Amino acid sequence: MWAGRVLHAALSGGPRGRRAQSALAQLRGILEEELEGIRGAGTWKSERVITSRQGPRIHVDGVSGGILNFCANNYLGLSSHPEVIQAGLQALEEFGAGLSSVRFICGTQSIHKDLEAKIAQFHQREDAILYPSCFDANAGLFEALLTPEDAVLSDELNHASIIDGIRLCKAHKYRYRHLDMADLEAKLQEAQKHRLRLVATDGAFSMDGDIAPLQEICRLASRYGALVFVDECHATGFLGATGRGTDELLGVMDQVTIINSTLGKALGGASGGYTTGPGPLVSLLRQRARPYLFSNSLPPAVIGCASKALDLLMESNAIVQSMAAKTQRFRSKMEAAGFTISGAHHPICPVMLGDARLASCMADDMLKRGIFVIGFSYPVVPKGKARIRVQISAVHSEEDIDRCVEAFVEPLESGLGEHLSS
């Protein structure tokens, strides 16, 4: 009855209703001002609607014909692989649409435990734990592991999910300059007074395409008694000789303590994340990691797809080698055309433009030329470092890659080209 009286007062324009309307009007004004600021800065992000399955060629709402897709995290092209899709359908049929529960109540099926064991085997770790996403894995790790007696040392350009996860914990926080090992060593020396020291870094940095110097990080960690955590979301499945990630690529698999990664990129592209590492750590996370304890289990179809993707990867590394060659083809041709490409040897190929409006306009122009790419600007990347991030997939053909390069070069003769060269 009280709710009805409040609603009646609001509708009748009484004092409470007028105050509520005034607060809502104030909120609308604040939000519109904020949104207009984003538009005015040229950093407004629109969502293009795809009307087909994910792949090297897609259909986009409002655009006639097929489009070459160069902005997905579908590194191995497994998002639409027929065996991956069939595995998802089989899991859906056998285990249902979902669990309607968190893991520790009645949300753990045999396929969840099987996939966790497979992930641990793949990374050559003791155990693994699944989350709805790697963002959740990063949100769950630091708070559960670290106390006010401990310290975490984080690269300044770490992914937002690492930053947010660290914010949730009560450990002492140190931030070292991007890939700067002298600064990391200084921070490690300063952190010697703490119980545990955890160095946290992305393995591959998704906006710049550069790779953490894990050999040096592990050397410093050993010298100063620290643990090493690596987020491998943009490395798992395709970096290293067999796709194990940056720790395999750089020969330090036995020196990295904890790995967080995703099922939502190279490993099928659906959803899900995980932590893999020492058995006691995984056991602790099952008891204390809030995103694990209070989130529904991953649906069976996602589990089935990811499990099959891992099977395909462990059967052969041919797809990994194919993507490396295609990445080098794009990078070398773009650099020969005069473009600056950030990073090295990674399928993330950021075409550095600097200006946010230019990045946005050029991405729109590329779509008209049949190439789907996205411009990135502040706050996703620092101000003045806007870029178009091109991502190479193993299922791109050499002709696809050459056409993408041509689409970048063609505007050099137009007004966009004049802006680009200025």
PDB file of all heavy atoms in Angstrom, residues 45 71 102 111 128 218 220 243 262 270 309 316 392 414:
ATOM      1  N   LYS A  45      31.853   6.334 -29.213  1.00  0.00           N
ATOM      2  CA  LYS A  45      32.005   4.982 -29.741  1.00  0.00           C
ATOM      3  C   LYS A  45      30.648   4.431 -30.157  1.00  0.00           C
ATOM      4  O   LYS A  45      29.780   4.235 -29.322  1.00  0.00           O
ATOM      5  CB  LYS A  45      32.669   4.083 -28.699  1.00  0.00           C
ATOM      6  CG  LYS A  45      34.083   4.525 -28.368  1.00  0.00           C
ATOM      7  CD  LYS A  45      34.563   3.969 -27.059  1.00  0.00           C
ATOM      8  CE  LYS A  45      35.886   4.599 -26.675  1.00  0.00           C
ATOM      9  NZ  LYS A  45      35.739   6.060 -26.422  1.00  0.00           N
ATOM     10  N   CYS A  71      39.065  -6.661 -37.127  1.00  0.00           N
ATOM     11  CA  CYS A  71      39.071  -6.084 -35.772  1.00  0.00           C
ATOM     12  C   CYS A  71      38.558  -7.051 -34.710  1.00  0.00           C
ATOM     13  O   CYS A  71      38.233  -6.630 -33.604  1.00  0.00           O
ATOM     14  CB  CYS A  71      38.271  -4.787 -35.742  1.00  0.00           C
ATOM     15  SG  CYS A  71      36.533  -4.963 -36.165  1.00  0.00           S
ATOM     16  N   VAL A 102      25.204 -21.114  -9.052  1.00  0.00           N
ATOM     17  CA  VAL A 102      26.652 -20.916  -8.938  1.00  0.00           C
ATOM     18  C   VAL A 102      27.311 -22.279  -8.768  1.00  0.00           C
ATOM     19  O   VAL A 102      26.648 -23.285  -8.501  1.00  0.00           O
ATOM     20  CB  VAL A 102      26.998 -19.988  -7.758  1.00  0.00           C
ATOM     21  CG1 VAL A 102      26.373 -18.625  -7.959  1.00  0.00           C
ATOM     22  CG2 VAL A 102      26.534 -20.593  -6.430  1.00  0.00           C
ATOM     23  N   ILE A 111      31.633 -31.630 -17.278  1.00  0.00           N
ATOM     24  CA  ILE A 111      32.347 -30.926 -18.347  1.00  0.00           C
ATOM     25  C   ILE A 111      33.107 -29.712 -17.825  1.00  0.00           C
ATOM     26  O   ILE A 111      34.133 -29.327 -18.389  1.00  0.00           O
ATOM     27  CB  ILE A 111      31.398 -30.514 -19.495  1.00  0.00           C
ATOM     28  CG1 ILE A 111      30.192 -29.728 -18.961  1.00  0.00           C
ATOM     29  CG2 ILE A 111      30.961 -31.718 -20.294  1.00  0.00           C
ATOM     30  CD1 ILE A 111      29.303 -29.180 -20.060  1.00  0.00           C
ATOM     31  N   ALA A 128      43.220 -25.400 -12.328  1.00  0.00           N
ATOM     32  CA  ALA A 128      42.626 -24.229 -12.970  1.00  0.00           C
ATOM     33  C   ALA A 128      41.208 -24.048 -12.455  1.00  0.00           C
ATOM     34  O   ALA A 128      40.560 -24.994 -12.002  1.00  0.00           O
ATOM     35  CB  ALA A 128      42.625 -24.373 -14.492  1.00  0.00           C
ATOM     36  N   CYS A 218      61.051 -12.139 -14.725  1.00  0.00           N
ATOM     37  CA  CYS A 218      61.255 -13.333 -13.896  1.00  0.00           C
ATOM     38  C   CYS A 218      62.617 -13.309 -13.208  1.00  0.00           C
ATOM     39  O   CYS A 218      62.753 -13.772 -12.064  1.00  0.00           O
ATOM     40  CB  CYS A 218      61.100 -14.586 -14.745  1.00  0.00           C
ATOM     41  SG  CYS A 218      59.395 -14.904 -15.273  1.00  0.00           S
ATOM     42  N   LEU A 220      64.234 -10.606 -12.217  1.00  0.00           N
ATOM     43  CA  LEU A 220      64.113  -9.666 -11.100  1.00  0.00           C
ATOM     44  C   LEU A 220      63.263 -10.254  -9.977  1.00  0.00           C
ATOM     45  O   LEU A 220      63.561 -10.070  -8.788  1.00  0.00           O
ATOM     46  CB  LEU A 220      63.498  -8.351 -11.588  1.00  0.00           C
ATOM     47  CG  LEU A 220      64.398  -7.482 -12.476  1.00  0.00           C
ATOM     48  CD1 LEU A 220      63.614  -6.302 -13.035  1.00  0.00           C
ATOM     49  CD2 LEU A 220      65.606  -6.978 -11.684  1.00  0.00           C
ATOM     50  N   GLY A 243      51.517 -22.349 -28.942  1.00  0.00           N
ATOM     51  CA  GLY A 243      50.389 -21.510 -28.568  1.00  0.00           C
ATOM     52  C   GLY A 243      50.123 -21.418 -27.086  1.00  0.00           C
ATOM     53  O   GLY A 243      49.047 -20.979 -26.671  1.00  0.00           O
ATOM     54  N   THR A 262      41.618 -16.142 -21.150  1.00  0.00           N
ATOM     55  CA  THR A 262      40.228 -16.098 -21.591  1.00  0.00           C
ATOM     56  C   THR A 262      39.919 -17.222 -22.564  1.00  0.00           C
ATOM     57  O   THR A 262      40.790 -17.701 -23.287  1.00  0.00           O
ATOM     58  CB  THR A 262      39.936 -14.738 -22.262  1.00  0.00           C
ATOM     59  OG1 THR A 262      38.566 -14.691 -22.655  1.00  0.00           O
ATOM     60  CG2 THR A 262      40.809 -14.529 -23.495  1.00  0.00           C
ATOM     61  N   ALA A 270      33.764 -17.446 -27.451  1.00  0.00           N
ATOM     62  CA  ALA A 270      32.430 -17.291 -26.871  1.00  0.00           C
ATOM     63  C   ALA A 270      32.474 -16.424 -25.613  1.00  0.00           C
ATOM     64  O   ALA A 270      32.142 -15.241 -25.641  1.00  0.00           O
ATOM     65  CB  ALA A 270      31.839 -18.667 -26.562  1.00  0.00           C
ATOM     66  N   ALA A 309      38.046 -26.320 -28.967  1.00  0.00           N
ATOM     67  CA  ALA A 309      39.083 -25.416 -29.457  1.00  0.00           C
ATOM     68  C   ALA A 309      40.447 -25.806 -28.904  1.00  0.00           C
ATOM     69  O   ALA A 309      41.451 -25.820 -29.629  1.00  0.00           O
ATOM     70  CB  ALA A 309      38.748 -23.970 -29.079  1.00  0.00           C
ATOM     71  N   SER A 316      47.698 -29.840 -33.261  1.00  0.00           N
ATOM     72  CA  SER A 316      48.634 -29.351 -34.275  1.00  0.00           C
ATOM     73  C   SER A 316      48.928 -27.877 -34.038  1.00  0.00           C
ATOM     74  O   SER A 316      48.052 -27.117 -33.611  1.00  0.00           O
ATOM     75  CB  SER A 316      48.034 -29.534 -35.673  1.00  0.00           C
ATOM     76  OG  SER A 316      48.822 -28.876 -36.651  1.00  0.00           O
ATOM     77  N   ILE A 392      45.059  -9.549 -37.072  1.00  0.00           N
ATOM     78  CA  ILE A 392      45.207 -10.593 -38.068  1.00  0.00           C
ATOM     79  C   ILE A 392      44.680 -11.918 -37.503  1.00  0.00           C
ATOM     80  O   ILE A 392      44.905 -12.239 -36.335  1.00  0.00           O
ATOM     81  CB  ILE A 392      46.680 -10.755 -38.480  1.00  0.00           C
ATOM     82  CG1 ILE A 392      47.268  -9.399 -38.923  1.00  0.00           C
ATOM     83  CG2 ILE A 392      46.823 -11.790 -39.578  1.00  0.00           C
ATOM     84  CD1 ILE A 392      46.568  -8.758 -40.085  1.00  0.00           C
ATOM     85  N   SER A 414      43.621  11.281 -50.774  1.00  0.00           N
ATOM     86  CA  SER A 414      42.418  12.067 -50.490  1.00  0.00           C
ATOM     87  C   SER A 414      42.680  13.055 -49.370  1.00  0.00           C
ATOM     88  O   SER A 414      43.806  13.223 -48.901  1.00  0.00           O
ATOM     89  CB  SER A 414      41.280  11.125 -50.086  1.00  0.00           C
ATOM     90  OG  SER A 414      41.559  10.547 -48.828  1.00  0.00           O
TER      91      SER A 414
END
